[in-house]
Amino acid sequence: MTPHHKEQFRQLVGDGIILLLCSTLFVFVCNKAFDSLKKKGSESDTLITAITQQSEEKVKKIFDEKVYAALPQEEKLDSYQAYCRHRVGRRDQFGRTPLTWAAYVNYSEAKKSIKGAPGQPDREIGLREEADGKRRPIVAALLAAGAEVNAKDNDGWTPLMWAAWSDLPVVADELRSE
């Protein structure tokens, strides 16, 4: 390797190190800048996630007494019932409870195809109609866990109001029967 090539190699390595440092600094600064934009206290709530995924199974698992018994001692409350009431009473930054989230959807009139049983034709179902059916047992589970049916969010809306606005008649009936 000639002295000229060695000098070019050193320059290339030096430029590479500078580029690496600059890009690392850029990522660090961007992360800090975006941290300030994140909502404080908005860590993911597994119950809200299960509701928005329309997973009755996941919602019921959160309120399973065996799951409660396996929680670390610092996450337990005085009793299983107190834990359930606390869990369904948590509010987000808008004052919405899990029951409010279960009564809210914002779907367009989009439809999806449902495969018919053998010998039956396929049919289309609206996403809102599907949500209405899937959320009724979730609402029932939340109510059984002690959710407050008349809890108002920061705008004064109750879960029943959200169900009516979201055009979820089955969910609204479940809330009215309470």
Side-chain angles (χ1 to χ4, degrees):
M1 196 182 255
T2 68
H4 177 70
H5 285 111
K6 284 182 182 179
E7 182 57 35
Q8 285 181 328
F9 181 73
R10 274 194 215 110
Q11 186 66 41
L12 184 64
V13 169
D15 288 348
I17 290 171
I18 290 171
L19 182 61
L20 180 64
L21 290 173
C22 288
S23 62
T24 302
L25 181 63
F26 176 75
V27 168
F28 177 77
V29 169
C30 286
N31 278 336
K32 286 296 177 191
F34 286 116
D35 277 348
S36 68
L37 298 175
K38 291 180 185 173
K39 296 175 192 149
K40 301 300 179 207
S42 66
E43 64 279 352
S44 179
D45 184 334
T46 56
L47 181 54
I48 301 301
T49 301
I51 290 166
T52 56
Q53 291 174 346
Q54 301 179 149
S55 175
E56 177 186 0
E57 182 181 306
K58 288 179 182 178
V59 170
K60 287 184 175 180
K61 187 174 181 176
I62 289 169
F63 295 107
D64 186 328
E65 284 191 68
K66 291 176 186 167
V67 172
Y68 170 74
L71 287 175
Q73 195 58 40
E74 62 270 9
E75 291 184 36
K76 292 184 178 180
L77 298 177
D78 295 338
S79 68
Y80 168 71
Q81 290 76 20
Y83 165 79
C84 289
R85 282 191 307 277
H86 168 74
R87 202 66 189 84
V88 295
R90 282 188 190 173
R91 293 176 179 266
D92 65 11
Q93 69 268 24
F94 303 107
R96 296 181 185 140
T97 64
L99 188 59
T100 304
W101 279 102
Y104 167 78
V105 295
N106 193 13
Y107 292 131
S108 66
E109 291 304 314
K111 298 190 181 297
K112 76 178 207 178
S113 232
I114 304 291
K115 187 135 181 84
Q120 298 292 320
D122 293 351
R123 69 182 188 99
E124 283 195 338
I125 184 171
L127 294 180
R128 187 175 291 137
E129 180 185 353
E130 179 186 42
D132 197 21
K134 286 185 173 181
R135 292 203 181 191
R136 190 215 52 80
I138 292 172
V139 167
L142 294 172
L143 291 170
E148 186 183 335
V149 73
N150 293 316
K152 292 182 178 177
D153 64 15
N154 294 350
D155 295 319
W157 281 46
T158 65
L160 181 58
M161 294 166 130
W162 279 110
W165 181 86
S166 299
D167 192 22
L168 301 175
V170 174
V171 168
D173 285 344
E174 186 73 30
L175 291 166
R176 275 196 299 263
S177 70
E178 194 52 33

